[in-house]
Structure formats: structure tokens, C-alpha cells
């Protein structure tokens, strides 16, 4: 509780507090999603293409990929992402979480542009704008509209 | 074959997310970011048949994605992602009973079209 709760302001309703904590989890999920995928992708590029004729070959290639520190780091960060995503789904609607966490796409495209100097075509800029608009629209809806099990029993 | 895989990815991805949401809603809400809270949540997951079924569906979706990537380019996986956004919003409304109105439909539609445009 101490880690995330903000001092309750006078007159702030329960739902505002609830939404604030959800936003923090969204932030964690989006950042770990981006960092995990970037790290995994960097590692897999160092390892090289996984070309396998049989399942056994494939497993051998997979084991080799696991020797790369970037791959391991990526997998660890993505495990944190998975947990934070499930934590989000425990408290917020799926139809809220989906569009809001799509901001990861925007973050990947923008960071690729500024860090790796990827060229972004006008189609991609339009895509970034549409996703951003979708994230903002979803952010304006309440994070949870379904009842909790305890409320259902009442 | 390609479109068959796209369909499998979209359906299993949707099924996985919907099952995970239904399952997680039966567990305690995660209230904070303390490691103990997350350990409690993770322990609950292994006793939660809905989430375990969700993981199974997501695994099938992931294997199908790997197969698709091995026979076509990444851009071919994009329609599956875009369809998933719309299909999941539909199921969120009618199966999970979430209050999906114009704003959320618009959000899902904008994100789905944005994902398609990002692949250009």
C-alpha cells in the first residue's frame, strides 16, 4: 500500500484513487513491455536467425539463444510484464486495459525514431496519432465497470 | 494456410485474454506493487483454472505466430492483432459484461487501425 498510495485528498472519491493505482500499473506494464521486447529483440539479433530442420534442432537453437544475456534480460523483464498485465486485469476492464496498453506501440515507434534513427513514414505517423487518440479516449472511461465478487454477494 | 494461421492467432489470443480477465476478476484485486502482493497473486494463478486455460490459449496463439513468421513476413501477423482488438472488445461487452460504449468502441477501432498503419 505504501509504495503506490497517494495521500487521499479531501473529497476525492474512491474511484479516483482506484483509477490512479490502475494508471501506475499501466505505466509499469507498458514500460516493461517495451524494455522487454527491445532487449529480447537485441539479443535474438545477436544470436542470429533460428533455422531448424527438426524439433530437436529447434530446441538446440533455443538453448543457444538462452546463453545470450540480452535474451535472458528480455525474458525476465517480460515475466514482470506478464505479472503486471495480470494484476491490471484483476482490477480493470479488458476493454480498458487493451487500448490503454497499446501506448507501447507508440513508445516503440518513437524510441526507434530517436534512438535508432528509424525513418517514420507518414503512414506510420498517422498510425501513431490514431493509437494515441485511442489511448486518450479509453483513459477517459472508468477503469472498472464490473462488480467485484464481494459486491455481487451483497 | 497463412489465413488459417491468422485466424488461429486472432481467436486464441482473444480467448486467452478473455479467460485471463474472467479468471483474474475472481481473485483478489491487486492493490499495490509490493512483492508480497505479486507473490500472493502468482500463487493464486496456479489454482485458477480459467487463467491456466488462458495461458494454454495464449501458448497456442504464440506457436501459431511463430509458424506464421516462418512462412511469411511480420506484416502478415498484423491483421491478426488488429482483429483481436475488435473481437476482444466485443467479448468484453457480451461475455464479461463490461460497460462498452462509444468511447471504448472508438478507442478499440482507433488502436486497431493505428496498428495496421504502423506496419507500413
Amino acid at each position: 500500500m505504501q509504495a503506490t498510495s497517494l495521500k487521499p485528498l479531501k473529497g476525492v472519491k474512491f474511484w479516483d484513487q482506484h483509477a490512479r493505482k490502475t494508471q501506475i500499473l499501466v505505466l509499469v506494464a507498458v514500460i516493461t513491455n517495451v524494455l522487454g521486447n527491445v532487449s529480447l529483440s537485441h539479443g535474438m539479433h545477436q544470436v542470429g536467425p533460428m533455422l531448424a530442420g527438426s524439433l530437436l534442432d529447434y530446441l538446440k537453437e533455443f538453448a543457444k539463444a538462452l546463453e545470450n544475456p540480452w535474451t535472458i534480460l528480455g525474458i525476465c523483464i517480460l515475466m514482470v510484464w506478464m505479472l503486471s498485465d495480470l494484476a491490471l486485469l484483476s482490477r480493470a476492464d479488458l476493454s480498458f486495459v487493451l487500448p490503454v496498453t497499446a501506448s507501447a506501440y507508440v513508445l516503440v515507434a518513437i524510441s526507434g525514431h530517436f534512438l535508432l534513427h528509424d525513418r517514420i513514414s507518414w503512414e506510420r505517423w498517422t498510425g501513431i496519432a490514431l493509437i494515441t487518440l485511442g489511448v486518450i479516449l479509453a483513459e477517459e472511461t472508468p477503469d472498472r465497470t464490473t462488480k467485484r465478487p464481494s459486491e455481487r454477494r451483497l | 494456410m497463412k489465413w488459417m494461421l491468422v485466424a488461429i492467432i486472432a481467436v486464441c489470443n482473444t480467448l486467452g485474454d478473455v479467460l485471463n480477465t474472467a479468471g483474474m476478476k475472481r481473485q483478489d484485486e491487486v492493490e499495490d506493487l509490493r512483492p508480497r502482493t505479486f507473490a500472493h497473486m502468482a500463487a493464486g494463478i496456479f489454482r485458477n483454472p480459467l487463467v491456466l486455460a488462458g495461458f494454454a490459449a495464449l501458448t497456442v496463439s504464440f506457436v501459431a505466430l511463430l509458424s506464421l513468421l516462418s512462412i511469411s513476413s511480420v506484416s502478415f501477423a498484423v491483421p491478426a492483432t488488429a482483429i483481436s482488438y475488435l473481437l476482444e472488445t466485443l467479448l468484453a461487452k457480451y461475455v464479461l459484461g463490461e460497460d462498452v460504449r462509444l468511447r471504448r468502441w472508438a478507442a478499440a477501432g482507433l488502436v486497431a487501425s493505428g496498428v495496421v498503419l504502423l506496419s507500413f
Side-chain angles (χ1 to χ4, degrees):
Chain A
M1 200 67 102
Q2 301 98 313
T4 59
S5 70
L6 300 160
K7 270 262 166 68
L9 298 164
K10 258 184 202 156
V12 171
K13 284 173 287 178
F14 167 76
W15 280 107
D16 292 336
Q17 287 249 356
H18 192 269
R20 182 59 54 88
K21 284 184 185 169
T22 301
Q23 282 171 345
I24 293 168
L25 267 172
V26 167
L27 209 63
V28 174
V30 168
I31 290 171
T32 50
N33 186 357
V34 172
L35 290 181
N37 279 313
V38 166
S39 172
L40 189 65
S41 153
H42 185 65
M44 292 309 285
H45 275 104
Q46 284 184 347
V47 173
M50 286 171 66
L51 299 167
S54 68
L55 185 65
L56 189 69
D57 283 347
Y58 191 79
L59 288 176
K60 277 182 195 161
E61 293 270 346
F62 189 71
K64 207 177 79 190
L66 284 181
E67 284 169 13
N68 185 289
W70 287 104
T71 308
I72 297 170
L73 182 69
I75 291 171
C76 289
I77 300 175
L78 285 177
M79 280 163 85
V80 178
W81 164 73
M82 192 76 222
L83 283 176
S84 56
D85 202 48
L86 287 172
L88 255 181
L89 291 177
S90 82
R91 54 183 289 126
D93 287 357
L94 177 62
S95 56
F96 172 87
V97 172
L98 274 178
V100 165
T101 49
S103 43
Y105 285 107
V106 175
L107 225 56
V108 167
I110 299 279
S111 57
H113 179 63
F114 286 107
L115 301 177
L116 307 171
H117 307 289
D118 283 350
R119 213 188 68 83
I120 301 186
S121 62
W122 69 267
E123 288 99 337
R124 299 194 75 203
W125 278 120
T126 313
I128 289 169
L130 290 184
I131 294 175
T132 307
L133 207 61
V135 171
I136 294 170
L137 272 182
E139 265 286 352
E140 284 182 359
T141 64
D143 58 344
R144 181 166 188 164
T145 61
T146 55
K147 285 196 165 75
R148 290 164 183 72
S150 57
E151 291 171 337
R152 245 177 255 146
R153 258 179 255 129
L154 292 174
Chain B
M1 184 61 186
K2 277 181 190 172
W3 288 106
M4 183 75 172
L5 285 170
V6 169
I8 293 173
I9 295 166
V11 168
C12 288
N13 198 19
T14 301
L15 210 60
D17 279 345
V18 170
L19 283 167
N20 278 351
T21 310
M24 290 311 293
K25 288 290 184 310
R26 294 186 180 193
Q27 286 191 201
D28 296 333
E29 257 191 30
V30 171
E31 290 287 352
D32 54 64
L33 296 173
R34 278 186 298 180
R36 210 175 66 185
T37 313
F38 277 83
H40 176 72
M41 181 192 85
I45 288 167
F46 289 103
R47 281 180 269 112
N48 192 327
L50 284 172
V51 177
L52 293 177
F55 279 162
L58 289 179
T59 307
V60 173
S61 165
F62 182 67
V63 173
L65 177 69
L66 288 182
S67 319
L68 180 67
L69 290 179
S70 72
I71 57 170
S72 69
S73 68
V74 186
S75 62
F76 225 84
V78 170
T81 317
I83 295 163
S84 294
Y85 274 103
L86 300 174
L87 211 56
E88 288 187 31
T89 308
L90 199 70
L91 290 187
K93 183 178 169 76
Y94 292 106
V95 177
L96 300 172
E98 294 175 5
D99 186 7
V100 182
R101 294 189 209 172
L102 186 63
R103 272 193 191 177
R104 284 199 179 164
W105 274 120
L110 285 168
V111 168
S113 9
V115 167
V116 173
L117 281 171
L118 267 189
S119 67
F120 280 91

